[in-house]
Amino acid sequence: MNPRDVALTLVREAIRAADPYLAVKRALRIEDGKIIVQGKVFGVRGRIYVLAFGKAACEMARAVEDVLGEGIASGIAVTKYGYGRPLRRIKVIEAGHPIPDENSIRGAEEGLRLVERVGSKDILLVLISGGGSALFELPEDGITLEDIKKTNDLLLKSGARIHEINTVRKHISKVKGGKLAKRVKGTLVALIISDVVGDDLEAIASGPTVKDPTTFEDAHRVLRLYGLWAKVPESVKAHIERGLRGEAEETLKEDLPNVHNFLIASNSIACEAVAAKARELGFNPYILTTTMEGEAKDAGLILGAIVQRAYWEEDPFRKPAVLIAGGETTVTITGDAGMGGPNQELALSIARKIAGLKGVVVVAFDTDGTDGPTDAAGGIVDWETLKRLEAVGLRIEEVLAKHNAYRALKVVGALLFTGPTGTNVNSMVIAVIWRIGKSSH
């Protein structure tokens, strides 16, 4: 295997480890008429309903169907366009991501109608995965879908971290920040796949089933911090101002005895699986972090510098080595922008640091298979990428400044395509370093 093949093999292993179907099958089983989730037993006295939303909704729902079969009374699954698949007992709705659309509203409305059917003796299985914030949305009264779209777009382009973005989302929605859980009369059992750094449950899909530590004051602060308060729609400002005066419903602030949340897959689990596969292939694996954050191009320079040291020095990385970093970087857009995503920008940035390091291949990708608003999962670069870009008249600094990473990587055949994976546990960077022994500059 050449280093590129190794990198692609490890990408496939990361996606397999985050497989939502297998994650649900590991966590959920039924035994003697009881539902068991990660060892906790739930007696079934009434009906079982299923509500799934996120990029992994259909695969999670399919696993639940295979475990519970005809025991499911009814269900709704809301997922991203292109991620839907036929289910036997659960209705599928495809909706917009990363910006919500009319079907996001429809999915939430149908989901809430399902919730209203859940009686005190019933169980509602809620299957939550990345993308749920956009895919399952119902704005607060007075806020339109267009207002939500504009606010989301401003937040996504601001450079705000996902926790900060979700702080605002939770305070302008009827279903986020534990507000969904408030509506459930029966037993709510949530199976959650994390797509946020640190696996904070209240941040995943904006925490619809989890108590929320943030307030209207926090939402107001985030919008001011990123210079968005004067830019968001008047309806959004008006609702937050009502909240600041105590005139609008706050998010859930206490644990509810009928609500049970379980984390069943995460970026950390996927990174560990990549490390195990690398070891199986004869490499020395090193997980650098599972909480990578920050501006994509800056993270690329830092990771690229670490790869440089790993290439030239034997301490602390023994070669052949695989370096692994998980998390989620961001891109701050100012002015007009081309096409790309944070992983594509990260890969391009790394290409500057690994130029000439023969045998080094680095892949940066989103485990959901779509990096930003593109059809690529990310980028895969090597020791010759910079030279190939310069040969066609492209300068990485100019490309990054114009946020046009997709075009640049496409020209030199450095885009990574996986297609929709049906899962999402954040992003990952994998560096394959073949050089053996110490060398001087």
Side-chain angles (χ1 to χ4, degrees):
M1 297 175 74
N2 62 44
R4 183 183 178 92
D5 289 339
V6 172
L8 293 175
T9 296
L10 296 178
V11 169
R12 288 190 290 270
E13 182 64 19
I15 293 170
R16 187 205 65 78
D19 186 297
Y21 178 87
L22 296 177
V24 171
K25 290 293 289 287
R26 288 192 295 265
L28 173 71
R29 72 181 194 274
I30 190 161
E31 189 175 297
D32 297 328
K34 298 180 178 65
I35 289 177
I36 304 173
V37 181
Q38 292 182 350
K40 187 172 180 65
V41 180
F42 298 93
V44 180
R45 298 179 297 152
R47 294 184 173 185
I48 302 171
Y49 296 90
V50 179
L51 175 59
F53 44 90
K55 297 176 186 176
C58 284
E59 284 301 295
M60 295 178 79
R62 181 169 70 91
V64 170
E65 285 189 334
D66 286 350
V67 172
L68 301 181
E70 295 184 0
I72 299 170
S74 183
I76 300 286
V78 188
T79 195
K80 182 175 178 176
Y81 292 112
Y83 284 53
R85 61 169 295 156
L87 297 170
R88 300 189 301 275
R89 303 184 67 84
I90 298 170
K91 179 181 179 179
V92 177
I93 298 172
E94 292 187 333
H97 180 276
I99 302 298
D101 65 1
E102 291 79 3
N103 272 5
S104 305
I105 306 293
R106 176 186 159 214
E109 289 175 339
E110 293 201 23
L112 290 183
R113 284 196 288 272
L114 179 77
V115 167
E116 290 170 1
R117 296 168 57 188
V118 179
S120 59
K121 295 182 180 180
D122 298 332
I123 292 176
L124 175 67
L125 283 175
V126 182
L127 314 176
I128 301 172
S129 55
S133 287
L135 293 166
F136 193 76
E137 178 61 282
L138 191 62
E140 290 283 6
D141 293 340
I143 301 175
T144 68
L145 174 60
E146 288 306 314
D147 294 339
I148 289 285
K149 284 183 178 181
K150 182 175 181 181
T151 303
N152 271 288
D153 190 51
L154 288 168
L155 286 164
L156 289 168
K157 290 179 178 177
S158 71
R161 301 190 317 172
I162 189 63
H163 295 72
E164 296 171 315
I165 292 172
N166 285 348
T167 294
V168 178
R169 284 170 164 169
K170 284 184 274 193
H171 286 88
I172 58 175
S173 170
K174 290 184 176 181
V175 293
K176 306 185 190 311
K179 294 177 188 175
L180 177 67
K182 288 183 181 184
R183 297 170 177 262
V184 179
K185 295 186 288 290
T187 300
L188 189 161
V189 178
L191 308 184
I192 303 171
I193 294 179
S194 173
D195 72 328
V196 300
V197 175
D199 300 332
D200 292 333
L201 296 186
E202 68 268 15
I204 302 166
S206 299
T209 63
V210 183
K211 69 176 181 181
D212 175 40
T214 71
T215 63
F216 278 105
E217 286 81 3
D218 294 319
H220 181 249
R221 177 187 54 79
V222 168
L223 291 173
R224 286 199 175 277
L225 177 64
Y226 291 95
L228 302 179
W229 182 249
K231 298 178 181 178
V232 296
E234 286 300 320
S235 64
V236 170
K237 287 198 289 186
H239 183 76
I240 291 175
E241 286 170 342
R242 284 195 296 274
L244 292 173
R245 296 192 300 267
E247 298 170 3
E249 179 191 13
E250 252 294 1
T251 49
L252 178 66
K253 299 305 179 195
E254 69 278 352
D255 290 315
L256 300 178
N258 64 317
V259 175
H260 309 270
N261 293 288
F262 298 90
L263 181 68
I264 65 169
S266 68
N267 185 271
S268 299
I269 293 170
C271 285
E272 291 288 352
V274 169
K277 186 65 175 180
R279 194 174 294 111
E280 178 186 316
L281 295 174
F283 288 79
N284 299 298
Y286 301 90
I287 298 176
L288 303 178
T289 182
T290 58
T291 58
M292 174 179 62
E293 292 183 281
E295 194 73 20
K297 61 184 179 182
D298 296 335
L301 287 175
I302 294 169
L303 290 173
I306 294 171
V307 172
Q308 274 186 328
R309 176 175 174 82
Y311 181 84
W312 290 112
E313 306 294 337
E314 194 62 20
D315 180 32
F317 306 109
R318 291 176 50 246
K319 287 168 290 287
V322 168
L323 309 187
I324 306 157
E328 185 169 20
T329 59
T330 54
V331 173
T332 303
I333 305 285
T334 55
D336 294 333
M339 181 179 290
N343 289 288
Q344 292 162 55
E345 291 206 3
L346 198 157
L348 265 183
S349 188
I350 285 177
R352 295 178 287 185
K353 304 293 284 185
I354 66 172
L357 305 185
K358 189 173 182 180
V360 172
V361 173
V362 181
V363 57
F365 64 103
D366 196 318
T367 54
D368 72 355
T370 53
D371 181 36
T374 76
D375 59 350
I380 180 166
V381 296
D382 60 26
W383 66 97
E384 294 183 314
T385 300
L386 179 63
K387 182 171 68 175
R388 291 195 294 268
L389 286 166
E390 291 177 341
V392 294
L394 292 172
R395 293 179 56 82
I396 287 180
E397 288 77 9
E398 293 176 359
V399 172
L400 290 173
K402 295 177 181 177
H403 303 291
N404 207 13
Y406 183 94
R407 173 179 174 269
L409 292 171
K410 183 177 183 180
V411 167
V412 296
L415 285 171
L416 175 72
F417 294 98
T418 63
T421 64
T423 191
N424 184 23
V425 291
N426 283 34
S427 298
M428 194 178 298
V429 180
I430 301 171
V432 179
I433 306 168
W434 276 52
R435 189 177 182 86
I436 306 291
K438 183 176 179 180
S439 229
S440 60
H441 290 278

